[in-house]
Amino acid sequence: MGIAACSICPRRCGVPRGEGFCGMPPEPVVASVCLHRGEEPPLNPIVNIFFSGCNLQCVYCQNWQISGRSSAVGSPMGVDDIADRVCRLATSGAPLLGFVTAAHYIQYVRPVVEALHRRGVEPVVVYNSGGYESAEALRSLEGVVDIYLPDLKYMDPELADAYSHASDYPEVAAAAIGEMVRQVGRGFKVDDDGVAYRGILVRHLVLPGALENTRRCLDWLADECGIRSLSLMAQYFPPRPGLAPPLDRTVTAAEYSEALDHASRAGFADIYTQELSSQTNYRPDFTHGQNPFEQ
C-alpha cells in the first residue's frame, strides 16, 4: 500500500510517505499491541493497537515516546503480524479491539479486522482518535468500526494552531465527528454486563488555563452535535521540561471542577470522569517491554 502522494489525513501533504508532516512510512509502524485496562469502564479490558507517529504532533503529547516524527518508538508490522498478536491477547471470540491514533494508517484498519475474521475472531472494533481525521477517509470504515472514541481537543483555532499546528482543527474535527455519528449514531450503548458495543464516546482533555476552550468544545458537542456521552479527562501533565506557561503545570482541582459543572449544565447524560491522581498515575512507558501500562 505504498503512497506516492499522501492525502489520507486532513493535512493532505501530497508528498511520498516519510516526507510529510507525520514523517511515517507507508507501512504500519506499531509501538505496542497490548491488553489495556486504563480506558473508560465500559471499554475495559481492551486489546489496543498503538500506532507510532501522529498527524497532530501536539506540543504537550502525553504519549510523546511514540508520536514523534523521527524518534517514535515502534517496529514495522504487517497486517498478519498485527492480527496474530491480537489473537494471542484476545480472551474471547469477540474482544474489544482498539485502533489507537490510526489517522495516518487508516487504510490498514479494515484489512486487520478482515484478517481477524479469517482467524475466527470477531472483535468489537473501537477507533480511538485524536479527532483530526478526514471525513472521506472515515467513510472507508463504515461497517467495520462499532465504537468511535474521538477527542475533541479544540474549538479555538488559535489554541489549535499554537498547541497542535492545526488551526483548522475545529472544523475538521466537527466534520469527522459528524461522519462518525452518521455511521454509529449519537448514543453510547452498553450491554447488561457493562461492556460497550456500539456508538460514540467523545473525549475532552481539560488543559491548564484553557477553560474557555473547554466550554466551547462541550457546548458544540451538546448543542450542535447532540451528543450526550462525554469522557472529561483530568490527566494532563507536562510531558517534558521547558513548556511555556500554562502548559508547565497540571490542571487544578478548581479548573476540573468548573469543567465538570459546565458539562452538567450543558446537559450531558453520561459523564465519565477522572481523579486528579490520574496526572501522576497515567504515564505509560512504551520503552518498557510488551505492555507500556504494566511496569
Side-chain angles (χ1 to χ4, degrees), residues 8-56:
I8 287 174
C9 92
R11 294 197 185 272
R12 301 189 181 279
C13 295
V15 297
R17 285 298 292 267
E19 299 178 14
F21 184 86
C22 73
M24 301 305 292
E27 299 78 18
V29 180
V30 176
S32 179
V33 181
C34 66
L35 188 64
H36 183 35
R37 296 179 174 85
E39 309 288 24
E40 290 79 3
L43 297 170
N44 286 324
I46 185 170
V47 177
N48 269 339
I49 304 165
F50 287 90
F51 289 94
S52 301
C54 182
N55 68 345
L56 280 174

Coordinates of all heavy atoms in Angstrom, one line a residue, residues 8-56:
I8 N -4.1 11.1 2.9 CA -5.0 10.3 3.8 C -5.6 11.1 4.9 O -6.8 11.0 5.2 CB -4.2 9.1 4.4 CG1 -4.0 8.0 3.3 CG2 -5.0 8.4 5.5 CD1 -3.1 6.9 3.7
C9 N -4.8 12.0 5.5 CA -5.3 12.7 6.6 C -5.6 14.2 6.2 O -5.3 14.5 5.0 CB -4.3 12.7 7.8 SG -3.1 14.0 7.8
P10 N -6.2 15.0 7.0 CA -6.6 16.4 6.6 C -5.4 17.2 6.2 O -5.7 18.3 5.5 CB -7.3 16.9 7.9 CG -7.8 15.7 8.6 CD -6.7 14.7 8.4
R11 N -4.2 16.9 6.5 CA -3.1 17.7 6.1 C -2.8 17.6 4.6 O -2.2 18.5 4.0 CB -1.8 17.4 6.9 CG -2.0 17.7 8.4 CD -0.7 17.8 9.1 NE -0.9 18.0 10.5 CZ -1.0 19.1 11.1 NH1 -0.9 20.2 10.4 NH2 -1.2 19.2 12.4
R12 N -3.2 16.5 4.0 CA -3.1 16.3 2.6 C -1.7 16.8 2.1 O -1.6 17.7 1.2 CB -4.2 17.0 1.8 CG -5.6 16.5 2.2 CD -6.7 17.1 1.3 NE -8.0 16.6 1.7 CZ -8.5 15.4 1.4 NH1 -7.8 14.6 0.7 NH2 -9.7 15.0 1.9
C13 N -0.7 16.2 2.6 CA 0.7 16.7 2.3 C 1.0 16.6 0.9 O 1.8 17.4 0.3 CB 1.7 15.9 3.2 SG 1.5 16.1 4.9
G14 N 0.5 15.6 0.2 CA 0.8 15.5 -1.3 C 2.2 15.1 -1.6 O 2.6 15.3 -2.8
V15 N 2.9 14.5 -0.7 CA 4.3 14.1 -0.9 C 4.4 12.6 -0.5 O 3.5 12.1 0.2 CB 5.3 14.9 -0.1 CG1 5.2 16.4 -0.6 CG2 5.0 14.8 1.4
P16 N 5.5 11.9 -0.9 CA 5.6 10.5 -0.5 C 5.6 10.3 1.0 O 6.2 11.2 1.7 CB 6.9 10.1 -1.2 CG 7.1 11.0 -2.3 CD 6.5 12.3 -1.9
R17 N 5.1 9.2 1.5 CA 5.1 8.9 2.9 C 6.5 8.9 3.4 O 7.5 8.4 2.7 CB 4.4 7.6 3.2 CG 2.9 7.7 3.1 CD 2.3 8.6 4.1 NE 2.4 8.1 5.4 CZ 1.5 7.4 6.1 NH1 0.4 7.1 5.5 NH2 1.7 7.0 7.3
G18 N 6.7 9.4 4.6 CA 8.1 9.6 5.1 C 8.6 11.0 5.0 O 9.4 11.4 5.7
E19 N 8.0 11.8 4.0 CA 8.4 13.1 3.8 C 7.4 14.2 4.2 O 7.7 15.4 4.2 CB 8.7 13.3 2.3 CG 9.8 12.4 1.7 CD 9.9 12.6 0.2 OE1 9.4 13.6 -0.3 OE2 10.6 11.8 -0.4
G20 N 6.2 13.7 4.6 CA 5.2 14.6 5.0 C 5.2 15.0 6.5 O 6.2 14.7 7.2
F21 N 4.1 15.5 7.0 CA 4.1 16.1 8.4 C 4.3 15.0 9.4 O 5.0 15.2 10.4 CB 2.7 16.7 8.6 CG 2.6 17.4 9.9 CD1 3.0 18.7 10.1 CD2 2.0 16.7 11.0 CE1 2.9 19.3 11.4 CE2 1.9 17.3 12.3 CZ 2.4 18.6 12.5
C22 N 3.6 13.8 9.2 CA 3.8 12.8 10.3 C 5.1 12.1 10.2 O 5.6 11.5 11.2 CB 2.6 11.8 10.2 SG 2.8 10.6 8.7
G23 N 5.8 12.1 9.1 CA 7.1 11.5 9.0 C 7.1 10.0 8.9 O 8.2 9.4 9.0
M24 N 6.0 9.4 8.9 CA 5.9 7.9 9.0 C 5.9 7.3 7.6 O 5.3 7.8 6.7 CB 4.7 7.5 9.8 CG 4.7 8.1 11.2 SD 6.2 7.7 12.2 CE 6.0 6.0 12.4
P25 N 6.5 6.1 7.5 CA 6.5 5.3 6.2 C 5.1 4.8 5.9 O 4.2 4.8 6.7 CB 7.5 4.2 6.5 CG 7.4 4.0 7.9 CD 7.2 5.3 8.6
P26 N 4.9 4.3 4.7 CA 3.6 3.9 4.3 C 3.1 2.6 5.0 O 1.9 2.4 5.3 CB 3.7 3.6 2.8 CG 5.1 3.5 2.5 CD 5.8 4.3 3.5
E27 N 4.1 1.7 5.4 CA 3.7 0.5 6.1 C 3.6 0.8 7.6 O 4.2 1.6 8.1 CB 4.8 -0.6 5.9 CG 5.0 -1.0 4.4 CD 5.9 0.0 3.6 OE1 6.5 0.9 4.3 OE2 5.8 0.0 2.4
P28 N 2.7 0.1 8.2 CA 2.4 0.4 9.6 C 3.6 0.2 10.5 O 4.4 -0.7 10.4 CB 1.3 -0.7 10.0 CG 0.7 -1.1 8.8 CD 1.8 -1.0 7.7
V29 N 3.8 1.2 11.4 CA 4.8 1.1 12.5 C 4.0 1.1 13.8 O 3.2 1.9 14.0 CB 5.8 2.3 12.5 CG1 6.8 2.1 13.6 CG2 6.5 2.4 11.1
V30 N 4.2 0.0 14.6 CA 3.4 -0.2 15.7 C 4.2 -0.2 17.0 O 5.3 -0.8 17.1 CB 2.7 -1.6 15.6 CG1 1.9 -1.9 16.9 CG2 1.8 -1.6 14.4
A31 N 3.8 0.6 17.9 CA 4.5 0.8 19.2 C 4.2 -0.3 20.2 O 5.1 -0.8 20.9 CB 4.2 2.1 19.8
S32 N 2.9 -0.8 20.2 CA 2.5 -1.8 21.1 C 1.2 -2.4 20.7 O 0.3 -1.7 20.2 CB 2.4 -1.2 22.5 OG 2.0 -2.2 23.5
V33 N 1.1 -3.7 20.9 CA -0.2 -4.4 20.9 C -0.3 -5.0 22.2 O 0.4 -5.9 22.6 CB -0.3 -5.5 19.8 CG1 -1.7 -6.1 19.8 CG2 0.0 -4.9 18.4
C34 N -1.3 -4.5 23.1 CA -1.3 -4.9 24.5 C -2.7 -4.9 25.0 O -3.6 -4.3 24.4 CB -0.4 -4.0 25.3 SG -1.1 -2.3 25.4
L35 N -2.9 -5.7 26.1 CA -4.1 -5.7 26.8 C -4.1 -4.5 27.8 O -3.2 -4.4 28.6 CB -4.3 -7.0 27.6 CG -5.7 -7.3 28.2 CD1 -6.7 -7.4 27.2 CD2 -5.6 -8.5 29.1
H36 N -5.1 -3.6 27.6 CA -5.1 -2.4 28.3 C -6.3 -2.3 29.2 O -7.4 -2.7 28.8 CB -5.1 -1.2 27.3 CG -5.0 0.1 27.9 ND1 -4.3 0.4 29.1 CD2 -5.6 1.3 27.5 CE1 -4.4 1.7 29.3 NE2 -5.2 2.3 28.4
R37 N -6.1 -1.8 30.5 CA -7.3 -1.7 31.4 C -7.4 -0.3 31.9 O -8.1 -0.1 32.9 CB -7.0 -2.7 32.6 CG -7.0 -4.1 32.2 CD -6.8 -5.0 33.4 NE -6.9 -6.4 33.1 CZ -5.9 -7.2 32.6 NH1 -4.7 -6.6 32.4 NH2 -6.1 -8.5 32.4
G38 N -6.9 0.7 31.1 CA -7.0 2.1 31.6 C -7.9 2.9 30.8 O -7.9 4.2 31.0
E39 N -8.8 2.4 30.0 CA -9.8 3.2 29.3 C -11.0 3.4 30.2 O -11.1 3.0 31.4 CB -10.2 2.5 28.0 CG -9.1 2.0 27.1 CD -8.4 3.2 26.4 OE1 -8.4 4.3 26.9 OE2 -7.7 2.9 25.4
E40 N -12.1 4.0 29.7 CA -13.3 4.2 30.4 C -13.9 2.9 30.8 O -13.7 1.9 30.1 CB -14.3 5.0 29.6 CG -13.9 6.5 29.4 CD -12.8 6.7 28.4 OE1 -12.4 5.8 27.7 OE2 -12.4 7.9 28.2
P41 N -14.6 2.7 31.9 CA -15.0 1.4 32.4 C -15.7 0.5 31.4 O -15.4 -0.7 31.3 CB -16.0 1.8 33.6 CG -15.4 3.1 34.1 CD -14.9 3.8 32.9
P42 N -16.6 1.1 30.5 CA -17.3 0.1 29.6 C -16.3 -0.4 28.5 O -16.7 -1.2 27.7 CB -18.4 1.0 28.9 CG -18.6 2.1 29.9 CD -17.2 2.4 30.5
L43 N -15.1 0.2 28.4 CA -14.1 -0.2 27.4 C -13.0 -1.0 28.0 O -11.9 -1.2 27.3 CB -13.6 1.0 26.7 CG -14.7 1.8 25.9 CD1 -14.1 3.1 25.5 CD2 -15.2 1.0 24.7
N44 N -13.1 -1.6 29.2 CA -12.1 -2.3 29.8 C -12.5 -3.8 30.0 O -13.7 -4.0 30.4 CB -11.8 -1.8 31.2 CG -11.0 -0.5 31.1 OD1 -10.1 -0.3 30.3 ND2 -11.2 0.4 32.0
P45 N -11.6 -4.8 29.8 CA -10.3 -4.6 29.2 C -10.4 -4.5 27.7 O -11.4 -4.9 27.1 CB -9.5 -5.9 29.6 CG -10.6 -6.9 29.7 CD -11.8 -6.2 30.2
I46 N -9.4 -4.0 27.0 CA -9.4 -3.9 25.6 C -8.0 -4.2 25.0 O -7.0 -3.9 25.7 CB -9.8 -2.4 25.2 CG1 -9.9 -2.3 23.7 CG2 -8.8 -1.4 25.7 CD1 -10.6 -1.0 23.2
V47 N -8.0 -4.9 23.9 CA -6.7 -5.1 23.2 C -6.5 -3.9 22.3 O -7.2 -3.6 21.4 CB -6.7 -6.4 22.4 CG1 -5.4 -6.5 21.6 CG2 -6.9 -7.6 23.2
N48 N -5.4 -3.1 22.6 CA -5.2 -1.9 21.9 C -4.0 -2.1 21.0 O -2.9 -2.6 21.4 CB -4.9 -0.7 22.9 CG -6.1 0.0 23.2 OD1 -7.1 0.0 22.5 ND2 -6.1 0.8 24.3
I49 N -4.1 -1.6 19.8 CA -3.0 -1.5 18.8 C -2.6 0.0 18.8 O -3.3 0.9 18.3 CB -3.4 -1.9 17.4 CG1 -4.0 -3.3 17.4 CG2 -2.3 -1.8 16.4 CD1 -4.8 -3.6 16.1
F50 N -1.4 0.3 19.4 CA -0.9 1.7 19.4 C 0.0 1.9 18.2 O 1.1 1.3 18.1 CB -0.1 1.9 20.7 CG -1.0 2.0 21.9 CD1 -1.3 0.9 22.7 CD2 -1.5 3.3 22.3 CE1 -2.1 1.0 23.8 CE2 -2.2 3.4 23.5 CZ -2.6 2.3 24.2
F51 N -0.4 2.7 17.3 CA 0.4 3.0 16.1 C 1.4 4.1 16.5 O 1.1 5.0 17.2 CB -0.5 3.5 14.9 CG -1.3 2.4 14.3 CD1 -2.6 2.1 14.7 CD2 -0.7 1.5 13.4 CE1 -3.3 1.1 14.2 CE2 -1.5 0.5 12.8 CZ -2.8 0.3 13.2
S52 N 2.6 4.0 15.9 CA 3.6 5.1 16.1 C 3.3 6.2 15.1 O 2.7 6.0 14.0 CB 5.0 4.5 15.8 OG 5.3 3.4 16.6
G53 N 3.7 7.4 15.5 CA 3.5 8.6 14.7 C 2.2 9.2 15.0 O 1.3 8.6 15.6
C54 N 2.0 10.4 14.5 CA 0.7 11.1 14.7 C 0.7 12.3 13.7 O 1.7 12.9 13.4 CB 0.6 11.6 16.1 SG -1.0 12.5 16.5
N55 N -0.6 12.7 13.3 CA -0.7 13.8 12.3 C -1.0 15.1 13.0 O -1.3 16.1 12.4 CB -1.8 13.5 11.3 CG -3.2 13.4 11.9 OD1 -3.3 13.4 13.2 ND2 -4.2 13.5 11.1
L56 N -0.8 15.1 14.4 CA -1.0 16.4 15.1 C 0.3 16.9 15.7 O 0.5 18.1 15.7 CB -2.1 16.2 16.2 CG -3.5 16.3 15.7 CD1 -4.5 15.9 16.8 CD2 -3.9 17.6 15.1

